[in-house]
Amino acid sequence: MEEITMNYIVLDLEWNQSPSGKKRIFKSLPFEIIEIGAIKLNENFEIIDKFQETIRPVIYPHMHHISQEVTGFTTSELQHSRRFPDVFRQFLSWCGTEEYRFCTWGPLDLTELQRNMNHYHLPLFPAPVFYYDIQEIFSQLKEDGIVRRSLEYAVDDLHISHQGDFHRALVDAYYTARVMSAFSIDEVLPRYTVDTYQQPRNRKEEFYISYGTSSKYVSQAFPSKPAVIKDPEVVSMKCCICQKRLRKKIHWFTENSKNYYALAYCSEHGFLSGKIHIKKNDSDYYFAIKELTLTDQKGADLLFERKKDYQKKRNQRPKLTGSLSNESILKH
Ligand SMILES: [Zn+2]
């Protein structure tokens, strides 16, 4: 049997931002990439290659003072670099023809990369774009899974020796690769996630990842927020283990109409807590990221408390007249 090898492209980008005070020239391109750095790891998480190129900014040609402070690049320094499409094509061919997955520190890089690709009408990566968010994995394996640390914090925490200044693409990619390879391959590999710059185009394409006792789902995009949270698939709660559609103990409620919470119960596998995060895409459509996690009595009690607090606050507020509050508890 032929073995399929998998490489890991640990990617880090530096970008310039649109000038402050003025209206963005391109709403769908808030950040213009000025540097791509990447480290290629083989399937044993060993470093086998590196990539580093700077890019001449042409949409926001003057370095924003914040970007200049962070990256150290000045406007004149980048004048001799090539433009994004040329550097990107070179990067893509460097990634190779073997199968690979991207790894980044935090969830931003792949979204901004695809925004830049889209701006130049370059073909996007085939969706779903699965990747490893090493910042999230660091939190899951070293902390509570919720807190997000800086790359510098993780490097020091794992006693990785300093090899250069942070906030340069290749150095940050190298550090991210070192953090990644500080964990065992078996611990990292099941913890992939999915980038949401491209949403599923229809119900059949919707993204679903199972992590055993938890799951992640990304819905297609809808024209309005209420349409998202009324969708039967979005609000359904299926047990992560037996896939049974469960009855809710707490119906979806929200404190800010951005994040919704719910609780369900599987007679075989116990409580299931749910969180839906509603996001807006670049076409002003809305989609849901739903995370379901099997939990215990303590986790269930926390959610009951949270809902009680929410109801108390709601009852203290002056009654809305004429229209329904969109923070009302949804019954499904
Ligand atoms: Zn179950």
Side-chain angles (χ1 to χ4, degrees):
M1 215 172 78
E2 204 187 330
E3 234 183 278
I4 301 162
T5 58
M6 176 72 87
N7 288 332
Y8 300 93
I9 307 289
V10 188
L11 173 72
D12 189 79
L13 307 170
E14 303 300 331
W15 49 65
N16 189 22
Q17 61 192 85
S18 61
S20 41
K22 287 181 206 164
K23 256 192 127 183
R24 273 179 198 157
I25 306 164
F26 295 102
K27 185 176 160 269
S28 57
L29 195 85
F31 303 105
E32 183 175 16
I33 295 168
I34 53 169
E35 191 181 29
I36 299 178
I39 294 282
K40 194 184 282 178
L41 302 179
N42 65 14
E43 57 198 338
N44 301 317
F45 288 1
E46 292 157 345
I47 296 177
I48 53 171
D49 207 355
K50 63 180 186 205
F51 180 94
Q52 192 265 326
E53 280 293 330
T54 54
I55 293 163
R56 174 157 49 98
V58 292
I59 301 154
Y60 312 122
H62 295 282
M63 286 296 289
H64 189 283
H65 69 96
I66 292 174
S67 308
Q68 184 163 330
E69 231 170 77
V70 171
T71 64
F73 284 120
T74 62
T75 301
S76 61
E77 252 177 301
L78 297 167
Q79 287 318 300
H80 303 292
S81 305
R82 288 174 300 146
R83 294 173 66 231
F84 178 81
D86 299 335
V87 174
F88 178 73
R89 279 191 202 100
Q90 186 197 345
F91 169 67
L92 213 54
S93 82
W94 174 84
C95 287
T97 50
E98 290 181 311
E99 246 197 284
Y100 58 84
R101 255 186 203 174
F102 288 116
C103 314
T104 57
W105 187 260
L108 303 178
D109 291 75
L110 281 173
T111 293
E112 297 312 330
L113 180 61
Q114 290 177 94
R115 278 195 172 127
N116 278 256
M117 289 157 70
N118 192 45
H119 181 84
Y120 290 104
H121 308 291
L122 297 166
L124 295 177
F125 302 119
V129 179
F130 293 121
Y131 75 105
Y132 291 94
D133 178 348
I134 307 303
Q135 187 185 40
E136 181 182 43
I137 292 172
F138 177 83
S139 181
Q140 289 172 348
L141 296 177
K142 292 284 288 185
E143 308 196 78
D144 61 1
I146 296 160
V147 69
R148 293 294 181 266
R149 300 294 190 181
S150 69
L151 181 56
E152 196 164 4
Y153 178 98
V155 163
D156 290 341
D157 186 71
L158 295 166
H159 306 291
I160 295 165
S161 56
H162 284 209
Q163 297 284 326
D165 291 336
F166 287 89
H167 299 302
R168 278 299 303 269
L170 182 60
V171 177
D172 281 5
Y174 168 78
Y175 283 136
T176 304
R178 288 290 310 274
V179 171
M180 180 174 170
S181 56
F183 299 116
S184 84
I185 294 167
D186 293 345
E187 276 181 314
V188 173
L189 290 195
R191 296 173 191 276
Y192 64 95
T193 186
V194 63
D195 181 75
T196 58
Y197 175 74
Q198 301 182 61
Q199 295 95 47
R201 287 171 298 186
N202 53 52
R203 178 112 293 157
K204 243 178 78 193
E205 281 185 6
E206 287 183 327
F207 309 156
Y208 178 81
I209 306 175
S210 167
Y211 300 105
T213 57
S214 66
S215 69
K216 189 179 238 177
Y217 156 88
V218 181
S219 78
Q220 59 190 308
F222 296 84
S224 72
K225 255 189 206 184
V228 183
I229 202 69
K230 271 187 202 136
D231 183 80
E233 190 59 36
V234 170
V235 297
S236 73
M237 289 181 78
K238 288 175 201 150
C239 175
C240 299
I241 295 174
C242 65
Q243 300 301 323
K244 230 182 271 157
R245 206 177 264 262
L246 305 178
R247 300 197 67 150
K248 293 178 192 76
K249 296 276 177 196
I250 300 174
H251 288 280
W252 294 103
F253 68 98
T254 181
E255 290 145 351
N256 54 15
S257 71
K258 222 173 177 182
N259 294 319
Y260 290 77
Y261 301 93
L263 184 74
Y265 186 76
C266 173
S267 54
E268 221 177 312
H269 302 107
F271 287 108
L272 184 72
S273 72
K275 181 184 171 186
I276 291 174
H277 177 57
I278 300 202
K279 271 180 100 170
K280 196 178 177 174
N281 71 15
D282 287 350
S283 317
D284 292 336
Y285 270 55
Y286 297 87
F287 64 100
I289 302 171
K290 177 172 66 185
E291 289 172 298
L292 302 176
T293 311
L294 282 171
T295 188
D296 52 10
Q297 185 67 51
K298 213 175 120 200
D301 288 346
L302 273 171
L303 212 54
F304 276 115
E305 276 304 305
R306 189 165 188 165
K307 190 185 161 193
K308 234 199 267 165
D309 282 352
Y310 157 76
Q311 275 174 327
K312 219 198 276 167
K313 271 188 221 143
R314 239 183 120 232
N315 292 336
Q316 283 162 357
R317 256 188 296 167
K319 284 264 184 301
L320 291 168
T321 51
S323 68
L324 264 176
S325 161
N326 63 1
E327 295 178 12
S328 58
I329 303 168
L330 290 141
K331 305 251 173 184
H332 283 284

